[in-house]
Amino acid sequence: MADAYTPEERERFGALLEPMDTEEPISPQFAEAFVPVIFGPRTIAENPEHVRRWVRKWRARPSRSVWGEYRSWIDREDRLGRLAEITVPTLIIHGEDDGGIPISRAEAMHARLRGSEFVRVPDSGHLVTEEQPEAVNQALRRFVDGIAPW
């Protein structure tokens, strides 16, 4: 995503994530609340053990690590207008069921990146590389194979 968060998004994310500025472990309630943000419905339904493993690993981190990630992106400036400056081949891969970043934001990037390739990955949420690794690998191989030699 290259655009800035709206004031409403900043407020909503802040209410959730500002309290995470602590060394306490990530709470089970917080981790479970983020499962549908991170994973698509198909993965949640068909691969619950993968989701449980991810939640266990995530909860092993201190809450401050989540807060630090949030602080790294919440206040960034809008960069959509600068995307036309990118002149190298660009691939955008986005899960169709991403609950964290709407696919429309990836489409907005694609519209502004001349010659970019956009791959929508069905049955995948935010962790597209974990949910649909073969689809991601195929997209990467196709993209790299299509790049003219430098």
Side-chain angles (χ1 to χ4, degrees):
M1 144 175 178
D3 53 331
Y5 285 92
T6 66
E8 296 79 20
E9 288 170 323
R10 287 181 181 163
E11 185 176 326
R12 189 176 75 241
F13 282 122
L16 279 170
L17 297 165
E18 281 297 338
M20 302 294 284
D21 188 12
T22 174
E23 287 302 312
E24 296 297 316
I26 295 169
S27 74
Q29 298 82 7
F30 184 86
E32 289 300 325
F34 265 78
V35 165
V37 174
I38 300 299
F39 291 102
R42 182 173 179 181
T43 300
I44 293 168
E46 295 181 8
N47 200 348
E49 182 50 38
H50 180 73
V51 173
R52 281 192 293 274
R53 267 193 319 274
W54 181 84
V55 167
R56 275 194 308 273
K57 283 200 267 184
W58 206 44
R59 288 211 50 239
R61 298 167 50 189
S63 294
R64 185 165 287 130
S65 68
V66 174
W67 178 84
E69 288 176 23
Y70 148 75
R71 292 303 321 155
S72 76
W73 48 256
I74 195 64
D75 291 325
R76 75 165 171 260
E77 64 187 49
D78 189 303
R79 295 184 184 114
L80 278 175
R82 296 197 60 201
L83 292 181
E85 296 172 25
I86 297 173
T87 59
V88 296
T90 308
L91 172 64
I92 301 166
I93 301 174
H94 200 91
E96 287 184 349
D97 299 321
D98 188 330
I101 299 175
I103 201 162
S104 61
R105 286 187 146 147
E107 292 167 337
M109 289 174 48
H110 176 55
R112 289 167 177 82
L113 281 163
R114 263 175 291 142
S116 64
E117 183 177 333
F118 181 58
V119 177
R120 300 169 64 105
V121 181
D123 298 320
S124 181
H126 194 70
L127 292 182
V128 65
T129 56
E130 290 188 30
E131 293 181 75
Q132 297 294 335
E134 191 51 41
V136 172
N137 288 339
Q138 286 176 3
L140 288 168
R141 278 193 290 274
R142 202 172 39 250
F143 178 72
V144 170
D145 287 347
I147 297 174
W150 296 81

